[in-house]
Amino acid sequence: MKKLLIVILHLLGFPALLGLVIYNSIEMIQGGLSYGVFVFVGIILTAVFALIYFLVIGLMAKSAKKKNKKNLYRQTFVAMILSLCMLGGLWVGLDVFIPDFLKDATSSTIFYEDLADNYYARSVVNKELLDEYIRRNVENGNLTTLSVEEYQAEGVKNEEVANLISVHFASIDKDGYATFKGPNIDLALGDRMTIAVLVHLLLDTRKIPDQEYYLYNSKTDKVETDPVQWNVLDMLGTPMDLADVDIFGDEGYEDFIAGLGSTGAAIKMLVPNGAAFRKLISDVANNIVPVATEGITGSPIFLGIDGVTLQLVPSNESRGVLDYQSMGWLNSNGLIYAIVMLFSTRKFFLIWAGVMVMTNFMIGLLRGMGKELKEKEMRAKRPQGPVPASPQMGGYPAYPSYPGNYGNYVYGSVAPRPGNYDAAVRRYDMSSFR
Amino acid sequence: MNKARRKYNRYRALKTICYLLGFPLFFLLVYFGSTSMIYNEAFTDTWYYGLVAVVGLWLVVSILQVLFALICRSKNGRAMFGMIITLVVMIGGAVAFDIFAEKQFEKIAEENEVYGITMKDYKYQINYYQTLTTDKKSLTDSYVEDVERFCRVYNINVKGKCFSDDYNMDGSLPEYDKDRDAYFSPNGMYADGYIFSMNEAINILITYYETQEYYADLGKNADEELDNAIAAARTSSAYLQYKQTDEYKKAYNTTDGTAYDHMLTLDQVDAILSELGDAVSKGLIKFSAFLVFLPSEITDLLGIVNGQLSIDVLVDTINGLKLGDVIPLLGFEEEIMDVLYEALLPILRYASLPSTTLQFDSVANFETSLLNITVKDLLTSLDFDKVNETVSQFGLDLSDFEGLFDNGLTRGFIEQIINEISLTSNLFFYQSPTVKPVFEFVENEMLREYAYAKYYATVHGANVGSVLIGNNIGAVTFSTSGYPASHGFTLQELYQLRADNSYIPKAYPLFAVRRYMYAMGGIMIFLVALYYHNARKQDEAFMELTGGRR
C-alpha cells in the first residue's frame, strides 16, 4: 500500500506535469509544427527538468549508505528544494528579468504582459501571420507549385516559403525601414504619424535600394529579382483613410447624376449605379496613382473605396508582404514560437512547484513510516559487540558530531563519561551535573 | 525536548520576533504607505525615496549597534545604547525632518507667492498627503490627477522620450541632458524625435503665455512683435555673417546643403511632375472613351501630361494659355460674365501699358481682345505700379510678384515660390540640427525665448504629435485630432503644476517614512529593549544547556 501511494505521488509530480504541458501544447504545436524544435521548447524543458529531478533523487537514494531517517529527511528536503527551484524559481527569476528583455528584443512589439497568461492568443497570431503571408504570395503568383492549403500545411518547412520570407524581410528591412533617416519612421510606427512625419517619410531623400527581391511579374510570367523600395504605408501595412466622399455612396451617386441633367443621363448609360461608379473610379485611379506614387514614394500606393471612404492602400497585398512589424515577427517566428511555448509552461510550473513540494514531503513521510525502517534504525542504534571503552567508539548517528578526539560530543550535551551511557535518554538531561 | 531546550528555543524565537517587528515591519509599513506613489507615473523617479530612507536608517542603527557591541560586552549596555540610538534616529529624525521640511515648504511657498500660487502649509500637507479617513481625497490623488490630465491632453509622459535617440534626420547626434530630461541637437534645440517631458512642456507653455500676457498688457501683440523682430534679425549683420559660415552653408548651401534632403526643392517638384505626367498619360489611354465627357479646354491641356512634364513645360503652357480657354472653365453664368467684363474694362484700361493688345473702345471688343490674349501677354502688358496701387485698395500687396509683370511666369519665379514655401512653411522647412535658427539672432531676450517656446509648442510639437499650442492640441495626427485648445492648461494652472512638481514627487514618499517614524518610534525602542532581554534570556538558557560553557 505504501509503495503504491509513493508511486502515485511520484506520478502526480513530473509525469503529470509533463502530460499536462503536452496536452496544453498540442493545438499550438499543430499550428507551428513547421518550425520544428522551437514549438517543442515547453515540452523539452519539462522533460529535461523531469530527467534532472529523477536522476537526482535516484542517485541520492542509491548513494545513501544507510537507509535511516536522517538520510530520508535529507533526500526529501533536497527533492523539495530541487522541484521548488526548478519550477518555481525558474519563473520567479524569469518574471523579474524577462519583461524588459522581451521588450528590448522585440523592439517594443511583444510584451511580457501579452504572453504571461495569453500565450495561446499569440500562438494563434503566429499561425495566422504565416497563413496570411502564404495566401498573399500564392495569389500574386510568387508561390506557384502547390495550392494555398498545401503551402499552409507545409509552412516554413517548404523551402520556397522559407526562402521567400527571408528575401522579403531583408528587402522590407534594408530597403524599407533602414532607409528612413531619423525618428520619422519610429514616430509613425509609434502612433505619432503627423502630417510633417508623413511628408518627410514620403519626400525625403532615401538610400537607393540594393536588396534582391522576388516578385512575380504577370506580364513576363516570371518571378523577378530586382530591388524594390518601400514607403511608409507599406511599413504600416493598413489602408489610410483619406476622406469621406458622398458621391461614392449609392444615394450620393444618384444625386450627382440627377444634378448633371442630360449629361448625367448619358453617363448613367455607361455607369448605371453607385457600385459601377466606385469600380470605375477605382479602375481609373489605380491605372494612374500606383504608377505615379511608385515613382515618387518608391512603392506603389493604390486608391481604395470602402463605403464612401476614399483610402490610400499600400502595396503589401500585391507584393505579397505583411506590414514591417509582422514581417519582423514572421522572420523570427521560430523564436517567437519558442518564447510562446516557454510561457505556456509558466502557470503549470508555478502550480507544480507547490504541488511537488507537497508530494515530495508526503513521499518522505511515507518512506520514513515503514516498520522495516524502524527496525533497521533500532538495529543500528543497538550496541554491537563489546561496550565501547571510550567516547570515540560510541555512536550518536542522528546528531552532528565534532571531529577529532571528541567525536561524540553533540551540541547541547556534556562530555559522556566512559562506560555505559544511553545518549538517546541522557542527551539533554543534565540534572546529575548540577 | 527537555525544559531547558524549550526555554532556549522560546527566547531565540522571541528575540527573532522582536527583531522582525522592528525595522523589517517599519519597511513594510512604509512600502504599503507608498503604494499610491509606487504605481503612479507622477512619482516615476522618486517613489522609492521613502524605502531608501528606511534602509538608510536601518543601516545607521545597525552599524552603530555593531560598533558599540565591539566595545561593550554587557547586554544591558548594548540594550541601552540600542534604545538611545533608535530614539535619536526614529523620533529625533522625525522631529528634525519636520523642522527642516517645514522651512523648505515655507521657502517654496514664498518663491511661488509671486505667481499667485496657493500652497497648503506643511502641517496640512503632512497629514493630507495620504488620508486615513474613508472617502477623504488625498493630496497625492489630486496631484496625480493633475499630472495625468496634463500628460493626456498634451500627449506626453512625465519622463521625456526621444524617438531615434541616436541620430537626427540629418545624421547629427543628439545628446541627453539628465538634469532637464531632454535630448538636444548640436544647435541647442530639441532633437528631431524628442517628445517633451512634463517639466519641459510646462516651461515652454509658461514662457509662451507669460510673453503673450506681457505684450498684451502693453497693448501689443506678441506674435506681431516677434515677426518684426525676426524680420529685423534676418537683415542683421550678425545673421548675415552667420550665413557665410561653413556651419550654415553645409546645411543650407543652395546647391548641396544637407537640409534640402528633407525639404521641398525644385528638382523634387520636377521629378514629381514627370512621374505624375507619365502615370496619368498611360492611365488615361485606357479610359479615352470617358474623355469625351470632359470639356475640350481640358482635353487640350492634357496633351502636356506625359513623362516630359516639368516646371518648364508648365510655365510655357501657362504663359501660352489664352484667357478664352481658361475663363469658361470658371463656369460662371453669361450674365455674370457680362457684368465682370464691364467692371474689368475701366480697371484694365487704367492699368495697361500703351503697348497692350487689349481694346477698350467697347465692352464687346474688350471681351474679344481679352479672350484672345495669352496669360503672358496680359501680364507683360500691365503696369505693375498701377496694378499694385489698385489692389492695395483691397488690402493686397503684390510686391513679391513684380517679376510676373516683367516676363510672365518663369522658372525663376516658381523657384522663388518653392523656396519661399520650403523656407517658411513649417511643413516643408527642415530646421537643421547643426544650424542656429534665425530667431537666435533676435536681440530682445524675451522675444527670443518666446520664439523658441512658440517654435517648440507649435512646429516641433506638431512634428512629433504633441502639439502644445494650436486650435487642437496634443495628439494631432492622421488618425487623431487631439483636444480642443480649451482643454489646455491656463497659466495659473501651469504655475500650480510647476510648483507642485518642484517638491511633491520628492517630499511625499518621505512623508510616508516620517508618518511611521513617529508611529513606530516608541514601539521600536520597546522592541529593542525586548530584543536584548530575550537575547540575554537566550544566553542564560544556553548556559543552562551547556553547563556554563559558551
Side-chain angles (χ1 to χ4, degrees):
Chain A
M1 183 61 184
K2 190 186 83 172
K3 282 191 175 171
L4 179 68
L5 278 174
I6 290 175
V7 170
I8 290 172
L9 285 169
H10 270 305
L11 286 175
L12 282 175
F14 267 110
L17 175 63
L18 189 61
L20 208 57
V21 168
I22 292 172
Y23 174 75
N24 184 53
S25 308
I26 288 173
E27 214 172 316
M28 292 184 282
I29 289 171
Q30 284 170 343
L33 200 58
S34 65
Y35 290 99
V37 73
F38 291 112
V39 287
F40 294 99
V41 161
I43 294 172
I44 291 170
L45 183 73
T46 316
V48 168
F49 277 6
L51 196 68
I52 293 169
Y53 170 80
F54 284 117
L55 268 176
V56 170
I57 61 165
L59 287 173
M60 271 198 311
K62 202 178 173 188
S63 63
K65 285 175 186 166
K66 292 174 184 172
K67 284 195 174 177
N68 53 32
K69 282 198 172 178
K70 181 187 164 190
N71 272 336
L72 275 182
Y73 289 155
R74 203 179 64 201
Q75 286 173 29
T76 304
F77 183 69
V78 169
M80 285 160 70
I81 292 289
L82 183 67
S83 42
L84 184 71
C85 288
M86 281 198 302
L87 301 177
L90 171 81
W91 275 108
V92 170
L94 284 179
D95 279 356
V96 172
F97 295 110
I98 215 168
D100 283 341
F101 167 78
L102 203 56
K103 181 186 154 203
D104 293 340
T106 63
S107 302
S108 295
T109 57
I110 300 176
F111 298 100
Y112 166 85
E113 291 78 6
D114 299 331
L115 295 175
D117 283 298
N118 207 16
Y119 51 85
Y120 178 74
R122 181 71 231 179
S123 78
V124 172
V125 170
N126 287 4
K127 182 183 180 305
E128 285 176 354
L129 283 182
L130 184 60
D131 286 352
E132 172 64 15
Y133 177 80
I134 288 171
R135 184 191 65 75
R136 287 185 180 189
N137 282 285
V138 172
E139 281 182 6
N140 71 4
N142 279 344
L143 297 170
T144 50
T145 322
L146 305 171
S147 68
V148 176
E149 291 75 19
E150 285 168 331
Y151 273 118
Q152 285 174 343
E154 288 190 19
V156 289
K157 266 187 185 167
N158 184 296
E159 237 178 88
E160 273 183 276
V161 174
N163 188 33
L164 203 61
I165 288 174
S166 135
V167 169
H168 280 180
F169 178 70
S171 176
I172 200 169
D173 183 38
K174 296 194 172 101
D175 287 341
Y177 185 84
T179 61
F180 296 104
K181 295 174 182 172
N184 291 312
I185 187 66
D186 292 329
L187 287 164
L189 295 174
D191 290 333
R192 286 176 181 268
M193 171 85 105
T194 62
I195 296 172
V197 164
L198 184 66
V199 167
H200 279 299
L201 288 172
L202 291 179
L203 299 181
D204 279 9
T205 309
R206 290 165 62 190
K207 179 182 93 82
I208 295 165
D210 56 6
Q211 294 291 311
E212 199 175 62
Y213 178 77
Y214 289 92
L215 185 66
Y216 173 74
N217 186 332
S218 57
K219 286 177 190 162
T220 58
D221 199 22
K222 281 179 185 167
V223 173
E224 293 175 351
T225 57
D226 285 340
V228 298
Q229 202 168 34
W230 305 87
N231 63 35
V232 62
L233 291 186
D234 300 319
M235 298 289 124
L236 298 171
T238 48
M240 180 185 281
D241 289 350
L242 264 189
D244 287 347
V245 185
D246 287 341
I247 58 167
F248 289 156
D250 292 338
E251 279 181 29
Y253 178 68
E254 294 300 333
D255 290 346
F256 169 67
I257 289 296
L260 291 178
S262 56
T263 315
I267 292 176
K268 201 166 183 198
M269 288 172 70
L270 288 166
V271 188
N273 52 37
F277 181 63
R278 288 192 290 274
K279 187 177 181 310
L280 172 72
I281 294 293
S282 181
D283 287 350
V284 173
N286 285 323
N287 269 281
I288 299 167
V289 179
V291 183
T293 49
E294 185 168 9
I296 296 165
T297 71
S299 175
I301 297 173
F302 301 85
L303 274 187
I305 301 171
D306 181 16
V308 294
T309 308
L310 188 66
Q311 294 178 320
L312 293 177
V313 182
S315 68
N316 302 59
E317 178 99 21
S318 62
R319 283 184 173 178
V321 297
L322 308 173
D323 60 283
Y324 177 69
Q325 182 175 281
S326 298
M327 284 306 293
W329 286 340
L330 200 59
N331 193 48
S332 316
N333 227 2
L335 280 174
I336 293 173
Y337 256 113
I339 293 170
V340 167
M341 300 315 285
L342 179 68
F343 268 92
S344 73
T345 66
R346 181 177 175 272
K347 202 186 266 182
F348 293 126
F349 275 25
L350 289 172
I351 293 170
W352 250 250
V355 168
M356 285 193 68
V357 167
M358 202 178 69
T359 55
N360 275 307
F361 180 72
M362 289 165 77
I363 290 167
L365 282 180
L366 285 169
R367 289 178 72 193
M369 268 171 57
K371 191 180 168 189
E372 193 187 326
L373 188 69
K374 269 188 182 171
E375 282 172 359
K376 271 185 189 173
E377 250 196 335
M378 288 305 287
R379 271 203 301 277
K381 283 178 184 172
R382 215 170 289 145
Q384 301 289 317
V387 175
S390 69
Q392 287 90 325
M393 294 172 73
Y396 306 93
Y399 300 92
S401 56
Y402 295 113
N405 290 336
Y406 300 95
N408 291 324
Y409 289 177
V410 295
Y411 181 70
S413 78
V414 295
R417 298 283 184 269
N420 285 337
Y421 181 77
D422 190 346
V425 177
R426 310 258 321 158
R427 198 172 298 129
Y428 295 121
D429 186 357
M430 290 160 288
S431 54
S432 54
F433 298 98
R434 289 182 175 174
Chain B
M1 197 184 284
N2 65 20
K3 198 180 164 189
R5 182 71 183 173
R6 279 201 300 272
K7 202 170 155 189
Y8 173 82
N9 284 343
R10 185 171 65 240
Y11 285 122
R12 193 168 60 172
L14 281 171
K15 188 183 79 172
T16 310
I17 289 168
C18 286
Y19 184 79
L20 292 176
L21 285 176
F23 273 106
L25 180 64
F26 180 39
F27 184 89
L28 279 179
L29 287 173
V30 172
Y31 176 83
F32 289 117
S34 310
T35 45
S36 61
M37 293 166 239
I38 290 172
Y39 300 107
N40 267 308
E41 210 202 335
F43 295 89
T44 299
D45 284 338
T46 55
W47 63 267
Y48 55 86
Y49 278 19
L51 299 176
V52 169
V54 175
V55 173
L57 294 174
W58 194 350
L59 270 176
V60 168
V61 171
S62 301
I63 290 168
L64 289 174
Q65 280 183 309
V66 168
L67 291 176
F68 189 75
L70 293 176
I71 54 169
C72 175
R73 297 192 68 79
S74 158
K75 282 277 188 298
N76 287 337
R78 289 180 190 178
M80 187 53 68
F81 182 77
M83 288 161 75
I84 292 168
I85 285 301
T86 310
L87 177 76
V88 169
V89 167
M90 294 293 287
I91 305 294
V95 171
F97 180 83
D98 278 344
I99 296 167
F100 175 76
E102 193 163 7
K103 280 189 178 165
Q104 288 297 313
F105 270 56
E106 282 167 8
K107 203 173 147 191
I108 295 165
E110 263 176 39
E111 282 170 3
N112 286 289
E113 210 173 349
V114 66
Y115 301 111
I117 297 298
T118 50
M119 184 176 156
K120 301 280 185 193
D121 65 16
Y122 175 75
K123 287 194 174 68
Y124 180 91
Q125 295 202 41
I126 196 73
N127 287 305
Y128 269 91
Y129 87 97
Q130 202 168 41
T131 48
L132 300 174
T133 311
T134 312
D135 295 335
K136 190 81 182 162
K137 196 172 181 181
S138 71
L139 291 176
T140 304
D141 289 344
S142 301
Y143 171 64
V144 166
E145 274 176 19
D146 287 344
V147 169
E148 285 179 350
R149 182 164 73 94
F150 186 85
C151 292
R152 191 176 57 249
V153 167
Y154 294 108
N155 194 32
I156 59 170
N157 290 314
V158 171
K159 297 274 288 171
K161 180 182 179 177
C162 192
F163 283 86
S164 177
D165 57 7
D166 50 355
Y167 56 95
N168 285 312
M169 269 187 254
D170 70 341
S172 60
L173 306 176
E175 274 189 21
Y176 180 60
D177 182 333
K178 200 179 171 192
D179 293 339
R180 288 179 60 180
D181 186 25
Y183 290 80
F184 291 100
S185 296
N187 64 354
M189 298 176 79
Y190 290 134
D192 288 347
Y194 176 65
I195 313 293
F196 314 112
S197 69
M198 178 175 57
N199 285 333
E200 287 295 305
I202 289 172
N203 288 335
I204 290 167
L205 285 166
I206 286 177
T207 306
Y208 181 86
Y209 288 133
E210 276 182 345
T211 313
Q212 286 220 326
E213 268 194 6
Y214 173 80
Y215 280 98
D217 287 346
L218 296 176
K220 293 178 179 174
N221 180 301
D223 291 326
E224 284 173 11
E225 295 298 315
L226 179 63
D227 287 344
N228 294 338
I230 288 177
R234 278 192 201 285
T235 54
S236 69
S237 59
Y239 184 62
L240 294 175
Q241 238 171 351
Y242 180 65
K243 284 176 82 172
Q244 299 307 312
T245 59
D246 289 344
E247 186 177 279
Y248 184 90
K249 283 183 176 171
K250 193 179 171 194
Y252 292 112
N253 200 22
T254 43
T255 49
D256 57 356
T258 52
Y260 291 106
D261 284 350
H262 314 283
M263 289 164 67
L264 192 67
T265 61
L266 203 64
D267 291 343
Q268 224 172 11
V269 175
D270 258 339
I272 291 171
L273 285 174
S274 168
E275 294 289 351
L276 269 178
D278 190 40
V280 172
S281 65
K282 284 175 184 166
L284 286 181
I285 292 169
K286 295 178 187 173
F287 299 95
S288 50
F290 290 93
L291 297 181
V292 295
F293 294 109
L294 294 175
S296 59
E297 294 86 353
I298 292 182
T299 47
D300 289 348
L301 280 177
L302 287 176
I304 62 163
V305 180
N306 53 46
Q308 305 304 314
L309 186 62
S310 64
I311 290 173
D312 288 336
V313 172
L314 270 183
V315 163
D316 290 345
T317 307
I318 293 170
N319 276 334
L321 271 180
K322 283 186 177 173
L323 292 195
D325 296 334
V326 181
I327 290 173
L329 295 177
L330 299 175
F332 291 140
E333 298 287 333
E334 207 170 316
E335 291 79 11
I336 295 173
M337 288 308 299
D338 289 341
V339 175
L340 199 64
Y341 290 132
E342 281 187 39
L344 276 175
L345 192 149
I347 297 171
L348 288 180
R349 179 193 286 152
Y350 166 72
S352 292
L353 294 166
S355 56
T356 183
T357 56
L358 290 175
Q359 294 176 18
F360 304 107
D361 50 342
S362 68
V363 174
N365 285 344
F366 172 68
E367 180 186 344
T368 310
S369 61
L370 187 69
L371 293 178
N372 278 322
I373 201 169
T374 62
V375 171
K376 184 178 179 180
D377 287 344
L378 176 67
L379 288 169
T380 53
S381 67
L382 292 171
D383 183 329
F384 169 73
D385 293 333
K386 288 181 178 174
V387 173
N388 205 25
E389 183 194 327
T390 308
V391 297
S392 67
Q393 292 168 19
F394 304 98
L396 298 172
D397 180 14
L398 297 179
S399 302
D400 291 342
F401 303 93
E402 190 175 355
L404 275 180
F405 296 87
D406 294 334
N407 305 304
L409 192 63
T410 60
R411 183 182 174 86
F413 180 76
I414 300 287
E415 188 172 1
Q416 185 191 326
I417 290 176
I418 290 173
N419 281 343
E420 190 71 15
I421 292 172
S422 204
L423 287 167
T424 57
S425 153
N426 292 330
L427 206 54
F428 293 110
F429 177 65
Y430 179 58
Q431 172 59 53
S432 168
T434 57
V435 172
K436 291 175 195 165
V438 64
F439 37 84
E440 173 65 24
F441 296 86
V442 168
E443 284 187 1
N444 182 313
E445 193 180 340
M446 185 181 234
L447 281 176
R448 189 164 63 240
E449 293 300 316
Y450 178 67
Y452 276 106
K454 190 179 173 188
Y455 179 84
Y456 292 144
T458 56
V459 182
H460 183 87
N463 286 349
V464 299
S466 293
V467 182
L468 302 183
I469 298 289
N471 293 331
N472 282 48
I473 54 175
V476 182
T477 68
F478 261 94
S479 51
T480 51
S481 52
Y483 289 94
S486 57
H487 281 57
F489 275 50
T490 62
L491 185 56
Q492 202 56 32
E493 287 176 313
L494 291 165
Y495 283 144
Q496 185 67 53
L497 195 54
R498 182 175 65 177
D500 290 348
N501 284 344
S502 70
Y503 71 95
I504 287 179
K506 288 173 192 160
Y508 283 12
L510 293 175
F511 280 10
V513 189
R514 179 265 185 200
R515 173 174 281 180
Y516 291 107
M517 278 166 95
Y518 277 119
M520 287 289 292
I523 297 169
M524 282 174 73
I525 294 164
F526 178 65
L527 287 169
V528 170
L530 270 184
Y531 172 85
Y532 280 106
H533 168 76
N534 288 315
R536 196 175 59 245
K537 285 289 187 187
Q538 185 195 356
D539 284 355
E540 283 171 16
F542 184 79
M543 298 278 275
E544 220 176 286
L545 275 170
T546 58
R549 273 189 299 276
R550 286 181 179 278

